[in-house]
Amino acid sequence: MTDTSKVAWRRGVVWGRGVLCATLAGFALAGLPKASSAQMQSDSVTVSLDDAIAMARRANPAFRRAENALDQNVAERRATLFNQILPRASVNLLNTSYRGNLSFNATDPFGDPIANPNAEWAYFSNTGQSLSLNWTIQGSSIFNVLRGQNLQEAGRSAALSSADRELTGGLQTQYFAALQELALLEVEESLAEGRGIDLVSANRRFELAQASQVDVLNAGVQVDQQSIAVTQARSRYEQALLTLRTTIGDPDAPPLRVALPELPVFDPSSIDADALISRALGANPRIAENAVQVDQAQLGLTRTGERWWPSINLNYILGRQSQAREVAAFVDLTHERTDLSSNFQISVSLPFLNNYFQDDLNAAQARIQLANARESAKESELEIERSVRSGLIDLKNQYASLQLAQRSADVAGQASEMARQEYQIGTRTFEQLQQTLEQESDALRSVIQAQFGFVNALLTLESAVGAPIGPGAN
């Protein structure tokens, strides 16, 4: 075999490898966009962020526990009304007895007691029914009970608001994390298409003896490496979807997929920090919870003052009593007007004299609890202010980084397009082309990272404020 034949043979082998790699890459790359658009699951459903939040509110266990706590409000209020505010009623439907007495005493004709020579048993029976009403009042205890019940219900509502905000914030973060992985997957797929084009271009230039077989082999390696990057990006995306589905908490939900919307990116330079802090102090659920805790502590201190008020007890009994010898009145349910009786009583007592030192200790503990509740509320306000200011600084920095990343990506895209053209006409080497393409790849990934870095900073700031921020937010 001559040298010329050997060179031709080697070129044929490399050309065959190039065709094979290009064909395989073509089949693989042809399927990648379809996998992205269909989200790799034919039975999956696309959910928006609002859809995901609505699903989570119906199924998330932590949120459902907070919501279920509200169900006891009606029963608890009814119990408070009848047990601590209205007079307590009790009904005795039947109280009957049969008893006997052995008499050892008698009386003489003059009425003086003498020993009974014949001790005999005397038997009696009785039956009674009664209705009693009892009402105890001490100072403003009734109003304090109502106030305590209202605060208990307000605390559950505040806890539900906090749970909803926590669920919404966490779900938003996970949803946009899945969107970020989807965006990165599409970038990797786009880069994989470019690598396939580069392989075809290198193989064509090798056929024309304008490139070496090393260029073709290196292009094939780039295709393989980019395929690995696509596989890893798809795996991360599927993991993000799994995390999102777990947070939603519905075991019967079909496999989910997300769609890339227009990201909430805007210029935050006009946002005023003080106005945002003022809004946070009125909207953050933690503020509402702290306010309820302070009111509850204040009520606890107020109730310790009830000990200085006299306790008034009102009692009314309406009853029927039937009594007769032997068993005549045993289980006697007949009605006679003469059997009815009623009794009304009023008693006043000074209970603070009964347990003075323990009551004084309870008052001291209530004062300390109120002071601590106020300090906790102030601490929360300071932490919210710090979080808002820090979040706003981070949001502005992320927006500046995004602007720089987008400009870099535009320049890198233009450079890679020009580099491909120069490679095709032979004025740029394959290594130089790959270096330029790597810069473009890094720039595209940086844009994705910067975009979702801004979104994450926005979500963090909205969590601190407790309300949406930006254009169109109420």
Side-chain angles (χ1 to χ4, degrees):
M1 182 178 293
T2 63
D3 293 339
T4 305
S5 300
K6 291 181 179 179
V7 173
W9 178 80
R10 281 197 293 267
R11 287 187 176 179
V13 171
V14 174
W15 179 83
R17 291 178 180 173
V19 172
L20 178 61
C21 292
T23 303
L24 294 177
F27 282 118
L29 296 174
L32 288 177
K34 295 179 181 179
S36 172
S37 61
Q39 306 301 319
M40 291 81 70
Q41 298 176 20
S42 59
D43 58 342
S44 58
V45 295
T46 302
V47 293
S48 65
L49 179 58
D50 292 337
D51 293 335
I53 292 174
M55 293 171 64
R57 284 173 177 165
R58 293 192 300 266
N60 182 269
F63 181 78
R64 292 294 301 159
R65 286 195 296 269
E67 196 172 43
N68 291 338
L70 297 181
D71 293 341
Q72 62 183 315
N73 285 348
V74 175
E76 189 177 72
R77 177 172 287 273
R78 185 167 52 245
T80 300
L81 179 65
F82 285 95
N83 293 339
Q84 301 184 52
I85 298 177
L86 296 178
R88 289 183 293 276
S90 61
V91 178
N92 185 0
L93 294 178
L94 179 64
N95 184 8
T96 185
S97 64
Y98 177 72
R99 70 182 186 275
N101 294 330
L102 181 61
S103 177
F104 292 94
N105 297 324
T107 57
D108 60 14
F110 300 100
D112 297 324
I114 60 175
N116 188 357
N118 298 315
E120 296 180 350
W121 284 91
Y123 294 95
F124 302 90
S125 61
N126 67 76
T127 296
Q129 295 90 27
S130 64
L131 168 65
S132 65
L133 298 175
N134 187 71
W135 198 20
T136 302
I137 305 173
Q138 186 176 10
S140 57
S141 59
I142 294 178
F143 301 102
N144 290 336
V145 168
L146 283 174
R147 174 68 173 161
Q149 180 61 35
N150 292 334
L151 288 175
Q152 185 78 2
E153 296 176 5
R156 294 193 183 104
S157 298
L160 179 61
S161 297
S162 293
D164 181 71
R165 189 61 199 167
E166 182 178 355
L167 173 64
T168 302
L171 206 61
Q172 286 175 334
T173 300
Q174 294 173 3
Y175 189 88
F176 281 106
L179 287 177
Q180 180 177 358
E181 297 301 336
L182 175 59
L184 289 173
L185 173 59
E186 293 189 351
V187 167
E188 298 297 341
E189 291 174 345
S190 177
L191 294 174
E193 291 181 1
R195 293 294 185 267
I197 294 174
D198 294 339
L199 176 59
V200 174
S201 178
N203 186 71
R204 184 181 300 111
R205 295 188 72 242
F206 177 74
E207 294 178 32
L208 300 174
Q210 296 175 350
S212 67
Q213 62 181 356
V214 176
D215 290 351
V216 178
L217 294 175
N218 285 339
V221 171
Q222 293 296 326
V223 169
D224 293 338
Q225 291 178 345
Q226 191 58 40
S227 297
I228 295 174
V230 170
T231 301
Q232 293 174 344
R234 183 181 294 111
S235 176
R236 292 192 298 269
Y237 173 57
E238 291 175 349
Q239 291 287 352
L241 290 179
L242 178 61
T243 301
L244 178 65
R245 189 174 186 272
T246 301
T247 301
I248 290 176
D250 186 0
D252 299 326
L256 306 178
R257 62 177 182 266
V258 295
L260 281 174
E262 182 179 355
L263 295 180
V265 177
F266 59 93
D267 186 0
S269 59
S270 61
I271 297 179
D272 181 66
D274 293 332
L276 206 59
I277 291 171
S278 177
R279 185 182 179 189
L281 295 179
N284 193 295
R286 286 171 54 192
I287 298 298
E289 284 188 300
N290 289 332
V292 172
Q293 292 172 359
V294 170
D295 290 343
Q296 288 176 332
Q298 179 65 62
L299 178 61
L301 179 60
T302 301
R303 299 191 71 168
T304 61
E306 295 174 359
R307 63 193 175 109
W308 300 106
W309 288 83
S311 179
I312 302 175
N313 183 267
L314 307 176
N315 188 42
Y316 174 74
I317 300 176
L318 174 64
R320 169 190 172 273
Q321 186 74 24
S322 174
Q323 183 172 339
R325 296 180 63 86
E326 299 298 335
V327 295
F330 187 72
V331 195
D332 181 11
L333 301 180
T334 60
H335 174 69
E336 297 291 341
R337 294 178 59 88
T338 56
D339 295 340
L340 295 177
S341 63
S342 63
N343 182 29
F344 179 71
Q345 296 178 337
I346 299 178
S347 62
V348 180
S349 62
L350 300 176
F352 72 89
L353 298 176
N354 298 336
N355 199 9
Y356 174 81
F357 293 103
Q358 182 61 44
D359 290 340
D360 189 61
L361 174 61
N362 294 338
Q365 291 175 340
R367 285 192 294 270
I368 294 174
Q369 186 175 1
L370 175 59
N372 289 341
R374 287 172 175 168
E375 293 299 328
S376 296
K378 182 173 67 175
E379 183 180 34
S380 295
E381 291 178 1
L382 293 174
E383 176 60 25
I384 288 174
E385 180 178 354
R386 185 205 64 80
S387 299
V388 170
R389 292 189 184 276
S390 175
L392 185 57
I393 292 173
D394 187 39
L395 185 67
K396 292 179 179 180
N397 289 337
Q398 290 291 344
Y399 183 76
S401 299
L402 174 58
Q403 296 297 103
L404 293 175
Q406 287 176 338
R407 285 198 294 268
S408 297
D410 293 339
V411 174
Q414 295 175 4
S416 63
E417 183 178 355
M418 295 173 62
R420 280 195 171 96
Q421 294 174 357
E422 292 176 358
Y423 175 71
Q424 291 174 358
I425 63 177
T427 59
R428 179 175 290 270
T429 65
F430 186 79
E431 290 75 13
Q432 292 173 334
L433 172 62
Q434 293 305 309
Q435 183 179 5
T436 304
L437 295 179
E438 286 297 330
Q439 292 176 352
E440 180 194 20
S441 302
D442 294 339
L444 290 175
R445 296 186 185 100
S446 296
V447 169
I448 299 299
Q449 298 290 347
Q451 286 176 336
F452 285 94
F454 179 89
V455 172
N456 289 332
L458 177 62
L459 294 178
T460 301
L461 182 57
E462 288 182 343
S463 177
V465 174
I469 300 172
N474 296 323

